[in-house]
Amino acid sequence: METACSAWLAANSGKFNPNELAIIRQKLEKMDADKAVVLSSVELKDPMTGLLLCLFGGFMGIHRFYIKDTGMAVLELLTCGLCGILCLIDLFMIMGKVRKFNYTAVLPFL
């Protein structure tokens, strides 16, 4: 069990914020083997992919669709990222938003 959790943490450590990773590590130590298997099936998004989507398709809101934020994605799609303002802001914030999305996706399974 310990090895499987350590392997999962090593493979996915870049997809979470450091403080959230510490919380996940604590909860994984208390988890039984059956739940650990389910945790490996959770689809996690890559923060670098989110940044690249924002960089090349940000004015269309593609990066927001990537993290399932469809309301803002449609707004950015219809307004060309509010004339580029939201796209510029998201360039600096999207990696954190993807990591937060991953944390909220994993949290119900812990």
Side-chain angles (χ1 to χ4, degrees):
M1 174 64 188
E2 179 94 16
T3 310
C5 291
S6 297
W8 187 87
L9 281 172
N12 297 305
S13 64
K15 297 179 181 178
F16 299 99
N17 290 325
N19 57 347
E20 294 169 347
L21 194 61
I23 294 168
I24 292 171
R25 182 175 287 122
Q26 289 174 352
K27 291 188 178 192
L28 279 176
E29 291 172 356
K30 299 174 187 174
M31 185 181 293
D32 59 340
D34 295 335
K35 280 191 168 184
V37 172
V38 172
L39 186 63
S40 64
S41 67
V42 176
E43 180 187 351
L44 299 176
K45 308 290 185 180
D46 185 22
M48 186 57 73
T49 303
L51 179 65
L52 290 173
L53 287 172
C54 184
L55 187 62
F56 294 113
F59 63 94
M60 293 185 293
I62 294 172
H63 59 289
R64 295 284 188 152
F65 283 114
Y66 182 63
I67 58 172
K68 296 180 171 75
D69 188 6
T70 54
M72 286 297 291
V74 170
L75 176 70
E76 288 190 28
L77 181 64
L78 295 175
T79 63
C80 290
L82 285 175
C83 297
I85 295 170
L86 283 178
C87 180
L88 185 63
I89 292 169
D90 282 345
L91 275 173
F92 295 101
M93 301 185 69
I94 191 64
M95 290 182 78
K97 289 179 182 183
V98 172
R99 288 183 177 117
K100 185 172 179 74
F101 172 83
N102 287 337
Y103 181 67
T104 57
V106 166
L107 203 55
F109 298 101
L110 294 178

